[in-house]
């Protein structure tokens, strides 16, 4: 009986983990592998086990889309469930107005551009102008998904120009206004713990952040980092592994298709895996996106020394996070970041794609053709 939930609260937490795991697996089949039939089976199983869950509208919408050509009656059934049960959702608005998604994409691109302008101001250390830009953006778009990240830029600007009490005010405000944020708030909570433990030293400073390095944890200027041995993923605020055999489906290797030429990629087990974000535009500046990725990693995996690097190809840029000791750890990381990518990445959503890859296979990604071949390999081999 050890390890089983023993209170209603623990049972609810355990059930939510199972729901999330089912949903992530179904989403992977649908979005990454393009296997609508398998995704539908997992969505159906999820609805059978948990008919009321926090992913309901997304599941209904996915089943509406997945059945459009295969089963029009079932597609219509799920369409009506979205419209009747969740009339104010973005999913319902997209069904009612086919141009809604395009309009939203335009607004999202404006939001991305505005944030990148503010980030450039931050990079130039023009703190007074940065604070004004942040205030203007949050005032004009209070529900902006980037609001916590704007607030963090403002906090750092204040920390570079004022004493520690002003910085603490900003950090505590972030903690209060955005308690459920998964990118900034975990990092800010870590900052607050460090400042509290070293408060007397901070109070002696003329400004709170005299030598702040945004890429270093806990405001400490770091020497050149020494290589560290890869270690299993230790989660802070990120999801934990779900030890449910019905949910955590093992990776199955499909039989080789004799009609297809042999792939240069290998499904062999590796001792090192990466998580890659492929940006299909070599002209874009990714500084603000990499900054957001670093914030996510430091806030959610502070004990894992995760590093992200950039490889530039002719037509693509590959941001890759190193390293994970096995495929399970890489999948755990992917499940935690996939829902945050739209706020981490400051480029249009149609230009990037995330995926897991072994170190050996990554070294073969030399151009767009190889990337496409690997994505096909991923679809054909890992189900």
């Amino acid at each position: 009986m050890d390890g089983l939930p023993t209170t209603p609260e623990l049972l609810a937490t355990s059930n939510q983990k199972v729901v999330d795991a089912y949903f992530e697996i179904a989403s992977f089949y649908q979005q990454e592998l393009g296997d609508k039939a398998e995704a539908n089976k997992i969505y159906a199983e999820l609805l059978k086990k948990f008919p009321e869950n926090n992913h309901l509208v997304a599941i209904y919408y996915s089943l509406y889309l997945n059945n459009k050509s295969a089963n029009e009656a079932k597609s219509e059934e799920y369409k009506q469930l979205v419209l009747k049960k969740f009339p104010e959702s973005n999913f319902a608005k997209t069904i009612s107005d086919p141009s809604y998604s395009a309009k939203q994409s335009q607004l999202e691109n404006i939001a991305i551009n505005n944030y990148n302008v503010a980030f450039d101001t931050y990079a130039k250390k023009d703190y007074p102008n940065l604070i004004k830009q942040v205030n203007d953006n949050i005032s004009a778009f209070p529900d902006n998904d980037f609001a916590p990240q704007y607030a963090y830029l403002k906090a750092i600007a204040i920390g570079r120009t004022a004493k520690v009490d002003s910085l603490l005010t900003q950090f505590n405000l972030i903690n209060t206004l955005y308690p459920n944020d998964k990118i900034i708030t975990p990092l800010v909570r870590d900052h607050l713990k460090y400042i509290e433990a070293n408060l007397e030293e901070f109070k002696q400073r003329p400004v709170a952040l005299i030598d702040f390095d945004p890429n270093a944890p806990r405001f400490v200027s770091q020497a050149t980092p020494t290589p560290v041995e890869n270690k299993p993923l230790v989660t802070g605020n990120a999801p934990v592994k779900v030890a449910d055999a019905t949910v955590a489906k093992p990776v199955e290797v499909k039989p080789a298709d004799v009609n297809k030429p042999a792939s240069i990629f290998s499904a062999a087990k590796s001792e090192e895996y990466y998580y890659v974000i492929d940006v299909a535009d070599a002209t874009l500046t990714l500084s603000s996106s990499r900054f957001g990725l670093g914030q996510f990693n430091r806030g959610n995996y502070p004990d894992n020394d995760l590093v992200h690097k950039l490889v530039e190809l002719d037509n693509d840029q590959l941001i890759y996070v190193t390293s994970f000791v096995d495929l399970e750890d890489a999948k755990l990381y992917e499940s935690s970041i996939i829902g945050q990518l739209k706020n981490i990445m400051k480029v249009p959503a149609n230009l990037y794609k995330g995926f897991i890859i072994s170190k050996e296979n990554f070294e073969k990604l030399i151009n767009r053709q190889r990337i496409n071949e690997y994505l096909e390999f991923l679809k054909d081999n890992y189900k």
Side-chain angles (χ1 to χ4, degrees):
M1 296 292 289
D2 289 346
L4 293 176
T6 55
T7 67
E9 292 79 11
L10 289 175
L11 180 61
T13 299
S14 176
N15 285 342
Q16 186 60 51
K17 290 176 182 176
V18 175
V19 167
D20 289 342
Y22 267 106
F23 184 74
E24 292 295 344
I25 292 170
S27 297
F28 180 76
Y29 276 101
Q30 179 180 341
Q31 297 171 16
E32 302 298 327
L33 301 183
D35 191 337
K36 296 178 182 179
E38 186 65 22
N40 288 351
K41 289 179 186 177
I42 300 171
Y43 284 135
E45 185 68 18
L46 174 52
L47 290 175
K48 180 181 178 182
K49 288 179 178 288
F50 302 95
E52 297 297 328
N53 65 75
N54 61 320
H55 298 295
L56 210 52
V57 63
I59 294 170
Y60 288 161
Y61 185 75
S62 294
L63 289 170
Y64 153 68
L65 291 180
N66 291 350
N67 284 290
K68 251 187 169 183
S69 56
N71 189 329
E72 288 292 342
K74 191 171 284 293
S75 176
E76 181 64 23
E77 175 189 345
Y78 287 111
K79 172 184 173 181
Q80 293 304 320
L81 284 172
V82 172
L83 294 174
K84 291 175 181 177
K85 285 193 169 187
F86 306 95
E88 298 304 315
S89 68
N90 286 340
F91 298 105
K93 291 173 182 175
T94 300
I95 292 173
S96 301
D97 177 9
S99 68
Y100 176 79
S101 180
K103 293 173 185 174
Q104 286 299 107
S105 295
Q106 184 178 12
L107 290 174
E108 288 169 6
N109 289 341
I110 292 171
I112 288 170
N113 182 67
N114 288 349
Y115 182 85
N116 283 332
V117 169
F119 185 82
D120 287 345
T121 305
Y122 163 80
K124 294 173 183 174
K125 301 183 180 180
D126 183 359
Y127 300 123
N129 198 29
L130 171 60
I131 292 170
K132 180 181 183 305
Q133 289 177 2
V134 168
N135 290 340
D136 289 348
N137 275 287
I138 292 181
S139 176
F141 307 102
D143 297 325
N144 190 324
D145 288 339
F146 296 144
Q149 296 178 70
Y150 273 123
Y152 186 80
L153 293 181
K154 178 180 177 180
I156 299 308
I158 288 174
R160 288 303 305 265
T161 55
K163 292 183 73 68
V164 69
D165 287 345
S166 298
L167 176 63
L168 288 172
T169 297
Q170 295 301 314
F171 278 165
N172 283 313
L173 192 60
I174 291 172
N175 201 25
T176 300
L177 292 177
Y178 313 110
N180 299 318
D181 175 74
K182 298 291 197 308
I183 300 171
I184 295 300
T185 303
L187 182 63
V188 164
R189 288 171 180 160
D190 186 57
H191 290 343
L192 285 169
K193 289 178 185 177
Y194 181 80
I195 293 174
E196 182 180 352
N198 298 273
L199 188 57
E200 290 308 313
E201 191 271 328
F202 271 92
K203 285 184 175 180
Q204 303 303 315
R205 299 181 177 185
V207 295
L209 303 178
I210 47 179
D211 56 357
F212 176 63
D213 177 358
N215 295 310
R218 303 183 177 89
F219 311 127
V220 180
S221 293
Q222 302 291 309
T224 302
T226 54
V228 293
E229 182 180 353
N230 291 341
K231 52 190 175 183
L233 203 60
V234 178
T235 58
N237 298 281
V240 296
K241 298 178 182 179
V242 180
D244 187 320
T246 64
V247 176
K249 294 181 68 173
V251 172
E252 301 171 9
V253 180
K254 292 175 65 177
D257 185 343
V258 294
N259 296 317
K260 283 191 175 183
S263 173
I264 66 166
F265 299 104
S266 171
K269 183 178 179 181
S270 174
E271 294 184 354
E272 192 170 355
Y273 290 85
Y274 301 157
Y275 181 74
V276 178
I277 305 169
D278 168 34
V279 180
D281 188 333
T283 67
L284 294 175
T285 300
L286 300 181
S287 300
S288 58
S289 297
R290 296 184 66 189
F291 185 73
L293 181 59
Q295 290 171 322
F296 174 83
N297 287 341
R298 295 195 308 279
N300 290 276
Y301 300 98
D303 298 321
N304 278 94
D305 304 308
L306 294 179
V307 176
H308 63 276
K309 304 174 184 179
L310 180 68
V311 169
E312 296 177 324
L313 306 179
D314 288 343
N315 301 304
D316 293 75
Q317 300 182 74
L318 304 179
I319 304 173
Y320 62 106
V321 179
T322 69
S323 295
F324 304 98
V325 297
D326 55 31
L327 186 59
E328 185 180 5
D329 265 8
K331 283 184 166 184
L332 178 63
Y333 178 84
E334 179 181 52
S335 71
S336 72
I337 197 173
I338 195 167
Q340 305 303 318
L341 279 179
K342 68 184 180 70
N343 293 330
I344 290 173
M345 299 301 293
K346 310 306 186 301
V347 300
N350 64 313
L351 292 180
Y352 65 84
K353 183 179 184 65
F355 55 85
I356 295 168
I357 191 168
S358 68
K359 177 178 181 292
E360 294 78 9
N361 284 334
F362 180 78
E363 291 169 352
K364 300 172 184 176
L365 299 183
I366 58 174
N367 53 35
R368 163 50 51 188
Q369 180 181 342
R370 286 285 178 85
I371 293 170
N372 289 338
E373 288 174 6
Y374 177 74
L375 293 176
E376 281 299 310
F377 170 84
L378 192 66
K379 181 166 67 174
D380 289 343
N381 286 270
Y382 296 108
K383 288 193 65 176

